[in-house]
Amino acid sequence: MTAPTVEAAIHELMDLAWNLVHDLLQERGLLGDGLFVEEFTGIHSWVEGITRYTVLHSREVAVLFVDTRPVDAIAFHHDLLGADDPARFFTRRSKAVRASGGQGA
């Protein structure tokens, strides 16, 4: 179970972009049976320059958001937790940052 504020943050971000997240997970072959917003229980967010990165994860998948737009999804693994740069696990980070006008690499 997650803390109410964490749960609210996850739901707010996912509610804004659920159709895009669904399409991204489907495109990456990560859309399993019964995947619901409620299954996302972890959030890690940070700012680089003017760009906010957020990783939301369930026990099965992790989704990278640049600002409020989901840009990549991968199968979740515990190496993401506590990583200095969790975005490095995602392959579409650089392209998404350039498209958003952010400062990241």
Side-chain angles (χ1 to χ4, degrees):
M1 180 173 216
T2 58
T5 54
V6 170
E7 190 172 310
I10 291 170
H11 282 273
E12 182 176 342
L13 193 53
M14 291 295 272
D15 285 347
L16 289 172
W18 179 246
N19 289 334
L20 295 172
V21 170
H22 181 276
D23 293 346
L24 185 60
L25 293 172
Q26 187 171 25
E27 174 187 321
R28 301 292 257 167
L30 298 169
L31 188 60
D33 293 333
L35 183 62
F36 299 104
V37 172
E38 293 80 19
E39 293 180 11
F40 286 82
T41 59
I43 185 170
H44 182 75
S45 187
W46 68 100
V47 175
E48 291 179 17
I50 61 170
T51 305
R52 172 165 296 281
Y53 295 92
T54 305
V55 176
L56 297 182
H57 71 83
S58 69
R59 292 176 55 198
E60 304 295 326
V61 300
V63 179
L64 173 66
F65 289 77
V66 174
D67 294 319
T68 59
R69 182 167 183 79
V71 297
D72 202 1
I74 60 173
F76 174 74
H77 48 87
H78 289 280
D79 293 343
L80 276 169
L81 302 177
D84 289 337
D85 182 12
R88 71 180 164 85
F89 291 91
F90 296 87
T91 58
R92 297 184 182 173
R93 176 188 179 201
S94 296
K95 182 179 173 183
V97 171
R98 284 193 301 271
S100 72
Q103 303 285 326

